[in-house]
Amino acid sequence: KYLLEFDPAARVVLSVGTPAGLETAEALFKDSEAVSIMAAPYDFWSAPARTVRALKPKALIIWETELWPNIIAEAKKNGAMVVLAAGRLTARSFKRYRRVKTFMSDLLGRFDLIAPSGWAEYEYFSRLGAPVERLRILGNPKFDQLIPQADSDDFKKSTAGWHQKLWAGAKPAPLLVAG
């Protein structure tokens, strides 16, 4: 939605990898003519090349850490900017990726921008060989979009009961639930 606010003429193709993701995407964008929804292409055989040739993307924006090497390579080969947004990487995943560091360094080097969610992820991506000049911490959009909501009157009203139960008379403040 933010991309379309920034560029109302943009044509967005959103690919999803699960039936639940497809259902959610269709519900979110059912009234949008600018957003097409498709199942994510398999990342082998000729599917990535066919998909990139058909869509001719200007940019491939990968959310969190869906690192599909063949679709990334095809997008780059065809001149698309490749971005990893809200990049997440756990300590466990970092240890696994470290075993194939040469492969990961090559893969991460194909990105024009890697936007880790925080400093821990920044460090992990850097240690895996991501070019530091392409790393930018831009935050976690899932969290960041909650900040304006937390200051709204509707949010304060809807959480007032929880504040009473949790803080028993303490001054009301936003309640953050992570997980």
Side-chain angles (χ1 to χ4, degrees):
K1 289 182 180 182
Y2 297 114
L3 177 60
L4 294 173
E5 288 174 15
F6 178 75
D7 183 1
R11 185 179 134 242
V12 176
V13 178
L14 175 63
S15 69
V16 295
T18 66
L22 183 61
E23 191 175 300
T24 301
E26 287 173 342
L28 284 172
F29 296 106
K30 66 181 174 193
D31 297 327
S32 177
E33 292 180 21
V35 178
S36 301
I37 301 163
M38 64 178 264
Y42 290 112
D43 197 52
F44 56 90
W45 294 330
S46 61
R50 284 193 324 264
T51 302
V52 170
R53 276 195 311 269
L55 297 176
K56 298 176 181 64
K58 291 182 182 176
L60 171 64
I61 303 172
I62 297 172
W63 200 257
E64 292 180 344
T65 312
E66 295 293 328
L67 300 175
W68 301 106
N70 295 318
I71 195 87
I72 292 166
E74 284 296 328
K76 277 306 277 187
K77 186 169 87 175
N78 286 277
M81 175 179 274
V82 180
V83 175
L84 177 61
R88 296 184 341 166
L89 202 56
T90 64
R92 182 179 178 195
S93 294
F94 169 70
K95 287 177 186 174
R96 290 178 178 170
Y97 284 139
R98 196 171 52 189
R99 294 179 193 151
V100 290
K101 185 178 178 189
T102 302
F103 172 79
M104 289 303 297
S105 179
D106 179 62
L107 179 63
L108 295 172
R110 295 173 187 251
F111 284 88
D112 296 286
L113 172 66
I114 298 173
S117 293
W119 285 106
E121 290 88 352
Y122 179 100
E123 181 67 22
Y124 291 148
F125 282 113
S126 173
R127 289 175 59 193
L128 288 172
V132 292
E133 67 276 7
R134 297 184 203 162
L135 287 167
R136 298 283 184 275
I137 296 176
L138 300 178
N140 184 335
K142 287 181 182 179
F143 171 74
D144 294 346
Q145 65 184 328
L146 294 176
I147 293 173
Q149 292 175 16
D151 200 37
S152 74
D153 289 335
D154 288 341
F155 181 84
K156 289 175 185 174
K157 287 177 191 173
S158 69
T159 59
W162 285 103
H163 285 290
Q164 282 298 55
K165 291 176 185 176
L166 291 170
W167 309 118
K171 183 180 177 193
L175 172 63
L176 172 64
V177 180

